[in-house]
Amino acid sequence: MYWEKEIETLERKDLEKLQVERLMKTLNQAVHSPYYGRVPEIRKAIKTGINLIEQIRELPFTTKDDLRNDFPWGFLASDKRDVVRLHSSSGTTGNPTAVYHNKHDLNSWANLMARSLFAAGVRDTDVFQNMAGYGLFTGGLGFQYGVEMLGCLSIPAGAGTTVAHAIPSYLGRLYDVFKEEGLDPRKDTKLHTLVIGAEPHTEEHRLRIQEMFGVKAYNSFGLSEMNGPGVAFECTEQNGLHIWEDAFIVEIIDPITLKPVADGEIGELVMTTLDRQAMPVIRYRTRDLTRFLPGECKCGRTHRRLDRIAGRSDDMFIIKGCNVFPMQIEGVLMKLPEVGEDYRILLETIDDQDEMIVEVEVKKDWFKGDLSFLDKLQKHITHLVRDEVLVRPLIKLVEPGSIPKNEGKAVRVFDHRKK
Ligand code: ADP
Ligand code: ZN
C-alpha cells in the first residue's frame, strides 16, 4: 500500500511536531547562505526557537525575483564542494531560477518521487518511460532517479512501456501520431498508467487523456524551487494531490493581503523546504493558485491534499474588464468531442478594440468542409466561452495540427494588444 507507511500515515500532531523540528534545522542551515544570513527574522527565530508551526508566519517570504537577484550563490547554504547537481526552472514566466543539490538532497528527492509514484500504483514490476525533457528541467532526471529507486525498469522508449510520464499538452500530439500511424493506444500498447503534470490542465483535459489512452492519468505537481516533481501527487483515489508535509511546510495565502486564506479557499501556494541542505528555501511564493481539499483520503495517507492547480497568478489576463484564466477556456473546450487536441488564445487590438481570439483545433473526423456544421460549432463554442468568462470571444476553428507547437510546456496565451 505504502512506500513509507509510518511517515505517510503519521498522525497530524506528530507530523506537525516533525515539521517544527525540521524547520529549526532548516533555519540553522539556511542562515549560512548569504541571502538568509542577512534576514534578521531568521536570526531571531534561531535564537528564540519555534514551537508552533504557525510561527512560520513571522518569517519573510522568498520570491522568484529574490532567487533571480541573488543568483548564482546567494542562496547556497553549504560548501560549494558538496554541491553535485544544478537544475533550473523552465523559465515559463521570465528568467529561470537555479537550484543546487547535494547528495543528501538528491537522495531525499528521489525518495519523494518513488513515494509519489508508488502512491499512484506504480510498482517495481513496471516498465517506465519518461517523455519529459532531460537536462536542466527537473521533469527528466527527477523522474529518472525516483523510478530507479522504486525499482522499475526505465526505458527511453519502447513497446513494453506500462507506465509513462508526460506533460498533458504533449499527449494530445502523441495521440494524433498514433492515429496517423493507424494505431490505437488503447489496444496497441501495454500502458496501464499515465502520470501527467508540469503544466496547468483541467479535469476535462485529464478525462480526455484517460479516454484517449484507456488508462488512469494521475496528476503530478512540483516546481524546481522545491526540487521538481515529487512535491505533490495523486494517489490511486484520484481525489487531489497529497503534498508531502514531512518535506515541506505548506501555506496558502491571499496574494494581496499576504495573510492565510480561510480553510478551503483558493489562494497562492507558499512552501518551505524541510529536508534540503544545499539550498533551503523559506516561505517561497510559488504563484500557483490552489486550495486545500477538506476531509481525509480513503488511502489512509495523512498528508493534506491540494486541489488541481487552477493556474498561476501570472496566467490571468484582463480583457474588456474581465479577469480570465486560460484554464476556464480549456475547461469549456475539452468537454466538446468535436474539439481537437490544441488551442491558443490571442489577445489583439482590432480597430482600437481589444479582442480575445481563441483558435481551436477541430478533430479530423469533424473538419470536413461541411460549412454549416462548422458555423454551428463556432457559434456554440462562442456561447459556451462567453458564459464561462463573460467576454465574447472570436472563435476561429482551425485544422487539426495547425497550431504551432512549443517545445516543452504549452504556451496558451499570446498578448499582442497595443498597450
Ligand atoms: P517554471 O515555473 O519556469 O515553469 P518549473 O519547470 O519549475 O518552472 O515548473 C514549475 C511550475 O509548473 C509550477 O510552479 C506550476 O506552475 C507548474 N506545474 C507543475 N506541475 C503542475 C501540475 N500538475 N498542474 C499545474 N501546474 C503545474
Ligand atoms: Zn490518498
Side-chain angles (χ1 to χ4, degrees):
M1 254 310 257
Y2 308 101
W3 179 249
E4 292 161 291
K5 180 160 195 253
E6 197 185 325
I7 200 91
E8 290 175 54
T9 59
L10 204 59
E11 276 194 42
R12 293 290 318 170
K13 68 172 188 344
D14 296 327
L15 191 52
E16 284 187 13
K17 202 168 139 238
L18 180 72
Q19 287 187 313
V20 170
E21 270 167 39
R22 288 192 169 175
L23 176 61
M24 281 313 296
K25 214 166 143 188
T26 298
L27 295 179
N28 277 292
Q29 178 72 11
V31 77
H32 294 300
S33 71
Y35 181 87
Y36 289 122
R38 295 195 295 264
V39 176
E41 292 89 340
I42 292 190
R43 295 191 165 276
K44 181 168 166 247
I46 290 173
K47 220 188 257 156
T48 55
I50 282 185
N51 309 310
L52 287 172
I53 207 71
E54 287 74 26
Q55 285 174 275
I56 196 172
R57 294 177 197 154
E58 289 158 22
L59 305 175
F61 295 106
T62 307
T63 64
K64 229 175 176 57
D65 279 335
D66 294 330
L67 294 183
R68 285 172 181 148
N69 294 340
D70 269 50
F71 176 80
W73 305 116
F75 282 83
L76 190 66
S78 71
D79 197 319
K80 268 185 215 166
R81 274 179 311 184
D82 293 335
V83 174
V84 294
R85 178 122 45 96
L86 164 73
H87 273 291
S88 82
S89 63
S90 308
T92 307
T93 58
N95 267 342
T97 51
V99 182
Y100 302 97
H101 301 272
N102 70 12
K103 287 183 184 167
H104 164 89
D105 300 335
L106 290 182
N107 197 56
S108 75
W109 177 14
N111 185 58
L112 289 178
M113 198 58 240
R115 187 199 287 174
S116 300
L117 290 166
F118 198 93
V122 183
R123 294 294 178 268
D124 59 3
T125 45
D126 278 308
V127 179
F128 196 99
Q129 178 176 338
N130 185 12
M131 292 184 260
Y134 283 62
L136 285 171
F137 175 51
T138 54
L141 292 178
F143 267 89
Q144 184 63 35
Y145 285 95
V147 163
E148 288 175 11
M149 190 178 277
L150 178 52
C152 304
L153 171 61
S154 66
I155 57 169
T161 301
T162 60
V163 183
H165 164 244
I167 60 174
S169 57
Y170 180 79
L171 287 171
R173 291 173 232 161
L174 183 68
Y175 180 76
D176 283 344
V177 174
F178 265 96
K179 284 276 158 184
E180 277 160 31
E181 298 289 322
L183 295 169
D184 177 356
R186 300 177 65 103
K187 293 195 206 113
D188 302 316
T189 71
K190 289 191 178 150
L191 204 64
H192 66 67
T193 299
L194 278 170
V195 173
I196 56 174
E199 64 182 11
H201 57 285
T202 50
E203 181 63 17
E204 288 77 11
H205 196 177
R206 184 239 292 271
L207 293 173
R208 187 180 262 250
I209 288 170
Q210 295 195 150
E211 178 64 25
M212 290 190 290
F213 290 87
V215 301
K216 285 266 160 77
Y218 295 97
N219 195 355
S220 148
F221 169 76
L223 58 159
S224 49
E225 294 85 357
M226 298 290 125
N227 295 342
V231 169
F233 227 85
E234 276 183 329
C235 69
T236 47
E237 298 293 327
Q238 262 190 342
N239 59 2
L241 303 121
H242 286 284
I243 187 153
W244 302 125
E245 293 182 89
D246 58 320
F248 306 99
I249 291 177
V250 191
E251 303 168 76
I252 297 183
I253 63 161
D254 178 325
I256 313 273
T257 65
L258 307 182
K259 297 271 182 287
V261 295
D263 234 8
E265 267 179 35
I266 290 200
E268 178 180 349
L269 181 67
V270 170
M271 296 186 68
T272 300
T273 63
L274 290 179
D275 193 24
R276 232 168 47 185
Q277 296 176 348
M279 189 172 151
V281 181
I282 293 156
R283 300 197 84 201
Y284 182 64
R285 290 189 59 182
T286 66
R287 302 191 192 170
D288 289 324
L289 302 173
T290 182
R291 64 185 184 114
F292 284 120
L293 291 174
E296 283 159 24
C297 187
K298 277 202 208 116
C299 75
R301 290 178 182 83
T302 49
H303 300 237
R304 279 179 294 179
R305 285 164 301 127
L306 295 182
D307 202 354
R308 173 181 299 290
I309 307 292
R312 307 180 193 237
S313 47
D314 321 63
D315 288 343
M316 195 193 79
F317 58 86
I318 301 176
I319 182 130
K320 296 183 179 172
C322 293
N323 297 354
V324 179
F325 278 98
M327 286 305 112
Q328 293 177 278
I329 295 176
E330 176 176 302
V332 169
L333 298 177
M334 291 293 154
K335 259 190 230 154
L336 300 171
E338 301 90 347
V339 167
E341 301 318 327
D342 213 355
Y343 69 94
R344 64 175 180 171
I345 301 161
L346 308 170
L347 306 177
E348 309 273 357
T349 308
I350 303 172
D351 297 337
D352 284 331
Q353 278 265 15
D354 286 347
E355 297 291 349
M356 174 171 78
I357 302 168
V358 185
E359 290 184 349
V360 181
E361 286 187 6
V362 176
K363 277 200 191 128
K364 213 175 182 169
D365 301 350
W366 303 87
F367 200 83
K368 281 201 192 114
D370 176 346
L371 290 183
S372 75
F373 165 78
L374 290 177
D375 188 47
K376 246 195 253 157
L377 179 61
Q378 195 244 8
K379 289 204 173 98
H380 184 49
I381 298 177
T382 305
H383 285 304
L384 292 176
V385 172
R386 208 212 81 98
D387 284 352
E388 175 63 38
V389 301
L390 309 177
V391 176
R392 192 183 167 80
L394 301 174
I395 300 291
K396 222 171 121 186
L397 301 181
V398 300
E399 257 183 272
S402 65
I403 291 179
K405 311 293 179 231
N406 188 44
E407 219 181 273
K409 304 186 186 199
V411 181
R412 301 297 190 189
V413 182
F414 297 82
D415 193 345
H416 303 138
R417 284 177 291 188
K418 286 197 205 116
K419 293 280 148 55

Short mmCIF file of all heavy atoms in Angstrom, two decimals, residues 178-203:
data_model
loop_
_atom_site.label_atom_id
_atom_site.label_comp_id
_atom_site.label_asym_id
_atom_site.label_seq_id
_atom_site.Cartn_x
_atom_site.Cartn_y
_atom_site.Cartn_z
N PHE A 178 -0.20 8.50 -33.08
CA PHE A 178 -0.72 7.12 -33.06
C PHE A 178 -1.77 6.95 -34.16
O PHE A 178 -1.74 6.00 -34.94
CB PHE A 178 -1.37 6.82 -31.70
CG PHE A 178 -0.47 6.14 -30.71
CD1 PHE A 178 0.22 6.87 -29.76
CD2 PHE A 178 -0.32 4.76 -30.72
CE1 PHE A 178 1.04 6.24 -28.83
CE2 PHE A 178 0.50 4.12 -29.80
CZ PHE A 178 1.19 4.86 -28.85
N LYS A 179 -2.70 7.89 -34.22
CA LYS A 179 -3.80 7.81 -35.18
C LYS A 179 -3.28 7.81 -36.62
O LYS A 179 -3.73 7.03 -37.46
CB LYS A 179 -4.77 8.99 -34.96
CG LYS A 179 -5.65 8.81 -33.77
CD LYS A 179 -6.86 7.98 -34.15
CE LYS A 179 -7.45 7.34 -32.93
NZ LYS A 179 -8.56 6.46 -33.15
N GLU A 180 -2.32 8.74 -36.87
CA GLU A 180 -1.76 8.83 -38.22
C GLU A 180 -1.10 7.52 -38.63
O GLU A 180 -1.10 7.16 -39.81
CB GLU A 180 -0.71 9.95 -38.29
CG GLU A 180 -1.31 11.32 -38.49
CD GLU A 180 -0.33 12.42 -38.08
OE1 GLU A 180 0.90 12.22 -38.21
OE2 GLU A 180 -0.82 13.47 -37.61
N GLU A 181 -0.53 6.83 -37.66
CA GLU A 181 0.13 5.55 -37.94
C GLU A 181 -0.88 4.40 -38.01
O GLU A 181 -0.49 3.25 -38.13
CB GLU A 181 1.18 5.24 -36.87
CG GLU A 181 2.31 6.26 -36.76
CD GLU A 181 3.27 6.19 -37.94
OE1 GLU A 181 3.54 5.07 -38.41
OE2 GLU A 181 3.71 7.25 -38.41
N GLY A 182 -2.13 4.72 -37.82
CA GLY A 182 -3.16 3.68 -37.85
C GLY A 182 -3.19 2.84 -36.58
O GLY A 182 -3.66 1.70 -36.58
N LEU A 183 -2.66 3.39 -35.48
CA LEU A 183 -2.60 2.65 -34.22
C LEU A 183 -3.59 3.23 -33.22
O LEU A 183 -3.94 4.40 -33.26
CB LEU A 183 -1.19 2.73 -33.62
CG LEU A 183 -0.08 2.07 -34.43
CD1 LEU A 183 1.29 2.47 -33.87
CD2 LEU A 183 -0.23 0.55 -34.44
N ASP A 184 -4.02 2.36 -32.30
CA ASP A 184 -4.92 2.79 -31.23
C ASP A 184 -4.20 2.57 -29.90
O ASP A 184 -3.96 1.41 -29.52
CB ASP A 184 -6.21 1.96 -31.29
CG ASP A 184 -7.16 2.33 -30.16
OD1 ASP A 184 -6.79 3.17 -29.30
OD2 ASP A 184 -8.27 1.75 -30.13
N PRO A 185 -3.85 3.66 -29.21
CA PRO A 185 -3.09 3.47 -27.97
C PRO A 185 -3.84 2.64 -26.92
O PRO A 185 -3.21 2.06 -26.03
CB PRO A 185 -2.86 4.89 -27.46
CG PRO A 185 -3.71 5.79 -28.26
CD PRO A 185 -4.09 5.07 -29.52
N ARG A 186 -5.15 2.53 -27.04
CA ARG A 186 -5.91 1.73 -26.08
C ARG A 186 -5.65 0.24 -26.26
O ARG A 186 -5.74 -0.53 -25.33
CB ARG A 186 -7.41 1.98 -26.24
CG ARG A 186 -7.82 3.42 -26.01
CD ARG A 186 -9.30 3.58 -26.27
NE ARG A 186 -10.07 2.83 -25.31
CZ ARG A 186 -10.69 3.37 -24.27
NH1 ARG A 186 -10.65 4.67 -24.08
NH2 ARG A 186 -11.36 2.64 -23.44
N LYS A 187 -5.36 -0.12 -27.52
CA LYS A 187 -5.19 -1.55 -27.80
C LYS A 187 -3.74 -1.90 -28.11
O LYS A 187 -3.29 -3.00 -27.83
CB LYS A 187 -6.03 -1.93 -29.02
CG LYS A 187 -7.51 -1.84 -28.79
CD LYS A 187 -8.25 -2.57 -29.90
CE LYS A 187 -9.64 -1.97 -30.08
NZ LYS A 187 -9.79 -1.30 -31.38
N ASP A 188 -3.04 -0.97 -28.72
CA ASP A 188 -1.72 -1.31 -29.25
C ASP A 188 -0.57 -0.97 -28.32
O ASP A 188 0.57 -0.84 -28.76
CB ASP A 188 -1.52 -0.63 -30.62
CG ASP A 188 -2.61 -1.05 -31.60
OD1 ASP A 188 -2.90 -2.26 -31.64
OD2 ASP A 188 -3.18 -0.19 -32.30
N THR A 189 -0.84 -0.76 -27.04
CA THR A 189 0.25 -0.57 -26.08
C THR A 189 -0.05 -1.42 -24.84
O THR A 189 -1.16 -1.91 -24.67
CB THR A 189 0.36 0.90 -25.60
OG1 THR A 189 -0.75 1.19 -24.75
CG2 THR A 189 0.40 1.89 -26.74
N LYS A 190 0.98 -1.54 -23.97
CA LYS A 190 0.78 -2.26 -22.70
C LYS A 190 0.55 -1.30 -21.56
O LYS A 190 0.59 -1.66 -20.39
CB LYS A 190 2.02 -3.10 -22.40
CG LYS A 190 2.18 -4.29 -23.32
CD LYS A 190 3.27 -5.20 -22.78
CE LYS A 190 3.41 -6.43 -23.67
NZ LYS A 190 4.78 -6.92 -23.67
N LEU A 191 0.37 -0.05 -21.91
CA LEU A 191 0.24 1.01 -20.91
C LEU A 191 -0.91 0.72 -19.94
O LEU A 191 -2.00 0.34 -20.36
CB LEU A 191 -0.06 2.30 -21.66
CG LEU A 191 0.29 3.62 -21.00
CD1 LEU A 191 1.80 3.73 -20.80
CD2 LEU A 191 -0.21 4.78 -21.85
N HIS A 192 -0.66 0.87 -18.61
CA HIS A 192 -1.79 0.83 -17.69
C HIS A 192 -1.92 2.08 -16.83
O HIS A 192 -2.91 2.28 -16.15
CB HIS A 192 -1.77 -0.43 -16.80
CG HIS A 192 -0.61 -0.50 -15.84
ND1 HIS A 192 -0.46 0.35 -14.79
CD2 HIS A 192 0.47 -1.33 -15.82
CE1 HIS A 192 0.64 0.05 -14.13
NE2 HIS A 192 1.24 -0.95 -14.74
N THR A 193 -0.90 2.94 -16.84
CA THR A 193 -0.96 4.16 -16.02
C THR A 193 -0.21 5.29 -16.71
O THR A 193 0.86 5.07 -17.28
CB THR A 193 -0.30 3.90 -14.64
OG1 THR A 193 -1.02 2.87 -13.97
CG2 THR A 193 -0.29 5.15 -13.77
N LEU A 194 -0.79 6.48 -16.63
CA LEU A 194 -0.08 7.68 -17.08
C LEU A 194 0.11 8.61 -15.89
O LEU A 194 -0.74 8.65 -14.99
CB LEU A 194 -0.88 8.42 -18.16
CG LEU A 194 -0.76 7.91 -19.59
CD1 LEU A 194 -1.80 8.60 -20.47
CD2 LEU A 194 0.64 8.16 -20.15
N VAL A 195 1.20 9.33 -15.92
CA VAL A 195 1.45 10.37 -14.92
C VAL A 195 1.58 11.66 -15.70
O VAL A 195 2.37 11.75 -16.64
CB VAL A 195 2.75 10.06 -14.15
CG1 VAL A 195 3.09 11.20 -13.23
CG2 VAL A 195 2.62 8.75 -13.39
N ILE A 196 0.76 12.64 -15.34
CA ILE A 196 0.78 13.89 -16.12
C ILE A 196 0.96 15.08 -15.18
O ILE A 196 0.45 15.10 -14.07
CB ILE A 196 -0.52 14.07 -16.95
CG1 ILE A 196 -1.76 14.02 -16.05
CG2 ILE A 196 -0.61 13.01 -18.04
CD1 ILE A 196 -3.06 14.34 -16.78
N GLY A 197 1.73 16.06 -15.66
CA GLY A 197 1.95 17.23 -14.80
C GLY A 197 2.85 18.23 -15.47
O GLY A 197 3.03 18.19 -16.69
N ALA A 198 3.40 19.11 -14.66
CA ALA A 198 4.34 20.16 -15.08
C ALA A 198 3.68 21.37 -15.71
O ALA A 198 4.32 22.40 -15.88
CB ALA A 198 5.45 19.62 -15.98
N GLU A 199 2.43 21.27 -16.09
CA GLU A 199 1.73 22.45 -16.62
C GLU A 199 0.26 22.39 -16.22
O GLU A 199 -0.29 21.30 -15.98
CB GLU A 199 1.87 22.54 -18.14
CG GLU A 199 1.21 21.38 -18.88
CD GLU A 199 1.40 21.44 -20.39
OE1 GLU A 199 2.20 22.25 -20.88
OE2 GLU A 199 0.71 20.67 -21.07
N PRO A 200 -0.36 23.56 -16.12
CA PRO A 200 -1.77 23.58 -15.74
C PRO A 200 -2.63 22.81 -16.74
O PRO A 200 -2.37 22.86 -17.95
CB PRO A 200 -2.13 25.07 -15.76
CG PRO A 200 -0.85 25.80 -15.75
CD PRO A 200 0.18 24.90 -16.35
N HIS A 201 -3.58 22.11 -16.24
CA HIS A 201 -4.54 21.43 -17.10
C HIS A 201 -5.82 21.23 -16.30
O HIS A 201 -5.80 21.28 -15.08
CB HIS A 201 -3.98 20.10 -17.63
CG HIS A 201 -3.57 19.15 -16.55
ND1 HIS A 201 -2.41 19.32 -15.82
CD2 HIS A 201 -4.15 18.03 -16.04
CE1 HIS A 201 -2.30 18.36 -14.92
NE2 HIS A 201 -3.35 17.56 -15.03
N THR A 202 -6.89 21.01 -17.01
CA THR A 202 -8.20 20.91 -16.35
C THR A 202 -8.57 19.45 -16.13
O THR A 202 -8.00 18.54 -16.73
CB THR A 202 -9.27 21.54 -17.25
OG1 THR A 202 -9.13 20.99 -18.56
CG2 THR A 202 -9.14 23.05 -17.31
N GLU A 203 -9.59 19.26 -15.30
CA GLU A 203 -10.13 17.91 -15.10
C GLU A 203 -10.66 17.38 -16.44
O GLU A 203 -10.50 16.20 -16.77
CB GLU A 203 -11.25 17.94 -14.05
CG GLU A 203 -11.89 16.60 -13.74
CD GLU A 203 -10.93 15.57 -13.14
OE1 GLU A 203 -9.85 15.94 -12.64
OE2 GLU A 203 -11.27 14.37 -13.19
#
